[in-house]
Every structure is written in structure tokens, then in C-alpha cells.
Amino acid sequence: VQLVESVGGLVQPGGSLRLSCAASGIMFSIYRMGWYRQVPGKQRVLVAVIRSSGITTYADSVKGRFTISRDNAKNTVYLQMNSLIFEDTALYYCKASLSDKEYWGQGTQVTVSS
């Protein structure tokens, strides 16, 4: 199983960035896919999740700014991040989960700075 995240980057406050995560080795369409983020010294936290049904859930801190989506034909999940703020700076991880199975990507750095 592999989850490969796109390269993050450096973005100015107010800017946008789209992350992608391509999965292989799993039946992608039945997995719940999520994005998490972590800053040094803190726990990894949920950013957004999209279920196999397409239902989405967002952390309060990103509601209205971030959008998670999936393309089952491409085995890929996306995170569109708009109106980025300094506090969005973190290492972003993709996760695939189904019942007791879970798989993580390697993480990609997003830095919001002027």
C-alpha cells in the first residue's frame, strides 16, 4: 500500500494551495480518506475527512476555507486550501482507513509565510 502526497510549499497569507494524495494497493473507493496535520511538539490532528459516500467532515479551524474531494477513478484525494493563514503551517498527512486498517502518507510540508 502506498499513499503519495504531492509536494506542499511556501504560500503567502491569503493564498491557496491544493494538495493531492494518490493511493495504490487498496480498493480506494471504499476507504475513508482524510487529511491530518501536525506541528512540532503537538499531536497530529484531523483537518478533513471524506467518506466513501462522499460525506465530508472538517475541523472547525478550516471550515469554509478548505475543501476535501476525491476522484475514485484516479485513486486520489485532494485538499484545496484557500485563505491560508500562518496557523495552517504544518506537516500535512494523508490517511486511508477502513475498519481496523489504516495507512499513512509520508507527509508534505505547508508553510504560510510572508
Side-chain angles (χ1 to χ4, degrees), residues 44-98:
R44 196 173 297 183
V45 296
L46 173 72
V47 174
V49 65
I50 183 166
R51 295 159 180 81
S52 57
S53 63
I55 294 174
T56 57
T57 302
Y58 295 91
D60 287 343
S61 59
V62 306
K63 277 181 186 173
R65 301 188 299 119
F66 289 13
T67 302
I68 188 171
S69 61
R70 65 192 297 161
D71 185 339
N72 289 338
K74 295 183 179 179
N75 288 358
T76 301
V77 61
Y78 303 95
L79 185 68
Q80 177 67 45
M81 304 184 290
N82 299 328
S83 303
L84 284 160
I85 59 178
F86 295 120
E87 290 78 10
D88 294 320
T89 295
L91 197 56
Y92 284 72
Y93 294 90
C94 170
K95 176 185 171 183
S97 56
L98 176 68

